[in-house]
Amino acid sequence: PTVVVVDNCPSDLHRRLTELCRAAGSFVSVLTVEYDIRDDEPEGSETIKIEAASADLIEQLIRLHVAELPPLDAAAIARSEISGGNARIALALARTYKPGESLSRLNDAELFRRLFQQRNEHDPRLLAAAEACSLVYSFDAETRDGDQAELPLIAALIGQSPDELYRHVATLKGRDLVQQRGQWRAVLPHAIGNRLAKSALKLLPIASIEARLVTEASERLARSFSRRLGYLHDSAEAVAVVERWLGRGGFLGDIDALNELGMTMLVNVAGLAPEAALQAIERSLAAGEKSVLLDERGSRRHDALNLVHHIAYDAALFGRCVDVLVTFAKVEKPNENHDSSIGVLRALFQARSSRTHATVDQRLSKIRALL
């Protein structure tokens, strides 16, 4: 028996690996690790979710490593939104303590400022660099030339040279706000990255951001930008961008014209504007047999099914989602798998674990209408 371990594993790769492992005569098992699971759990898989450390545990760590910090301050740091259950960030924040002051009286904005500066003078260019880098989920800090270079595009957003931005990234890494894996860098944890990204969307022209991170960018960087946007549900600027992208005539509004990158970006951002995403799917299906979503061999159909399943969580959109799933079912070959439209419909009408906020009366009413 052999166990294959895959870190940072995309859901489609996990699905293919599980199919191989479940084949007759296989002695291989697979363990995959990913930051978040957006798709339904593949058949034959067991998911273990690792939560952030508890506030009590982080408080104990702080008091162990920063003994001079008053207990009240240690508790405040451990429970703050800034530390977000991340021991590394909580300890970095605790080490900014100066005898005689009280961190427990600071709000989250003030705690963030202390974490970012860490006893250094305020540097607006360093902050601008952090905000720009946070607009993407991760970025290549090493490649300087060619179509795949990412650092020059991010630097251009804030009027810095690639060399200056590189130095700022190194400084942020020294402050435990950037992590490195090979040539890749990422502003982490995501609670910090999301906060900085929301600030960047407020301060930088949206047209410039889209030009550098979508139009002129490599596919990888554009995908990374869309993934960051997907975490910014409470940013009015991010929601406005996504609604425009998904609207009629928008960048992602015509599903039939999207390539693999476009569909991935749509999936990444759909949660910010679920009704706009549903409308894009409805527009595609309105073309009838010509719709790419009705091609059972196409990956876009699978993505659309997953999206509709998630969008149906909203009671106000439940009925329209069921209509879309029925459209899929009418052209689908008999299939009992969990990723079939029939399987999704059955899940939505379960008495328990239906994954929708639609009431029982709503669901019964929809059944009667379909009959």
Side-chain angles (χ1 to χ4, degrees):
T2 301
V3 178
V4 177
V5 182
V6 185
D7 194 13
N8 297 315
C9 184
S11 57
D12 58 338
L13 176 58
H14 174 94
R15 189 172 292 104
R16 295 199 302 271
L17 290 171
T18 56
E19 290 172 357
L20 292 172
C21 292
R22 295 173 63 231
S26 172
F27 289 94
V28 179
S29 300
V30 63
L31 173 65
T32 62
V33 183
E34 180 51 287
Y35 175 73
D36 60 351
I37 297 177
R38 297 197 178 188
D39 298 329
D40 294 333
E41 182 180 309
E43 185 178 355
S45 295
E46 179 180 357
T47 299
I48 300 173
K49 185 176 182 180
I50 301 177
E51 299 285 358
S54 71
D56 289 339
L57 177 58
I58 289 182
E59 182 180 347
Q60 291 178 45
L61 286 170
I62 292 173
R63 296 180 68 175
L64 178 65
H65 290 277
V66 191
E68 67 274 19
L69 187 69
L72 191 61
D73 288 351
I77 290 173
R79 287 161 177 78
S80 73
E81 178 186 326
I82 300 304
S83 62
N86 187 294
R88 177 174 54 84
I89 292 299
L91 287 170
L93 189 52
R95 292 187 179 111
T96 68
Y97 170 74
K98 297 177 182 178
E101 65 181 5
S102 175
L103 298 183
S104 63
R105 296 179 181 178
L106 303 180
N107 59 34
D108 281 338
E110 292 167 326
L111 286 173
F112 173 78
R113 190 157 47 247
R114 289 184 70 102
L115 173 66
F116 189 83
Q117 294 180 203
Q118 296 185 15
R119 299 186 177 182
N120 295 283
E121 293 296 322
H122 173 60
D123 185 344
R125 294 185 71 79
L126 179 65
L127 179 59
E131 290 169 342
C133 291
S134 294
L135 284 170
V136 292
Y137 197 80
S138 64
F139 58 97
D140 179 353
E142 305 291 345
T143 305
R144 300 297 184 90
D145 302 309
D147 295 338
Q148 302 304 309
E150 299 178 358
L151 202 68
L153 291 172
I154 299 173
L157 270 176
I158 50 176
Q160 296 185 10
S161 69
D163 286 344
E164 183 181 9
L165 181 58
Y166 186 90
R167 289 194 298 272
H168 286 323
V169 171
T171 299
L172 293 169
K173 182 174 179 291
R175 296 185 187 182
D176 269 341
L177 298 175
V178 163
Q179 291 188 20
Q180 175 180 354
R181 178 177 295 170
Q183 71 199 69
W184 308 106
R185 307 289 190 276
V187 180
L188 292 170
H190 292 299
I192 301 298
N194 293 344
R195 187 185 189 95
L196 288 164
K198 286 186 287 186
S199 178
L201 289 172
K202 289 178 180 292
L203 297 174
L204 297 174
I206 296 297
S208 297
I209 293 174
E210 290 182 286
R212 303 297 187 189
L213 302 183
V214 179
T215 307
E216 302 172 16
S218 65
E219 289 192 357
R220 201 215 70 85
L221 191 62
R223 186 183 300 112
S224 188
F225 174 50
S226 70
R227 193 172 183 190
R228 172 64 74 194
L229 283 179
Y231 287 96
L232 307 182
H233 297 83
D234 55 349
S235 165
E237 290 77 14
V239 171
V241 168
V242 172
E243 287 180 338
R244 177 164 48 81
W245 281 4
L246 294 174
R248 190 182 296 274
F251 171 55
L252 302 175
D254 183 359
I255 291 179
D256 291 71
L258 295 181
N259 56 15
E260 182 180 351
L261 170 66
M263 197 64 192
T264 298
M265 293 179 71
L266 188 153
V267 170
N268 284 345
V269 303
L272 273 70
E275 185 171 11
L278 181 60
Q279 288 172 340
I281 293 172
E282 290 170 334
R283 286 196 298 270
S284 174
L285 293 177
E289 295 180 358
K290 295 181 180 179
S291 171
V292 297
L293 296 182
L294 297 181
D295 180 3
E296 288 193 75
R297 298 167 299 176
S299 60
R300 278 177 283 190
R301 173 188 166 280
H302 172 78
D303 290 334
L305 277 176
N306 273 326
L307 275 180
V308 174
H309 194 178
H310 291 305
I311 294 170
Y313 179 85
D314 186 341
L317 300 176
F318 176 79
R320 289 167 60 186
C321 289
V322 170
D323 291 338
V324 166
L325 292 168
V326 168
T327 301
F328 278 113
K330 286 179 178 178
V331 298
E332 192 173 75
K333 296 176 183 177
N335 185 356
E336 296 297 320
N337 292 339
H338 69 283
D339 61 347
S340 69
S341 55
I342 297 297
V344 175
L345 279 167
R346 181 180 291 115
L348 290 174
F349 286 92
Q350 292 175 166
R352 296 180 61 187
S353 303
S354 62
R355 295 179 63 179
T356 177
H357 274 192
T359 65
V360 171
D361 286 342
Q362 275 183 288
R363 287 184 278 169
L364 287 174
S365 176
K366 195 62 187 177
I367 290 174
R368 294 188 191 103
L370 291 172
L371 294 176

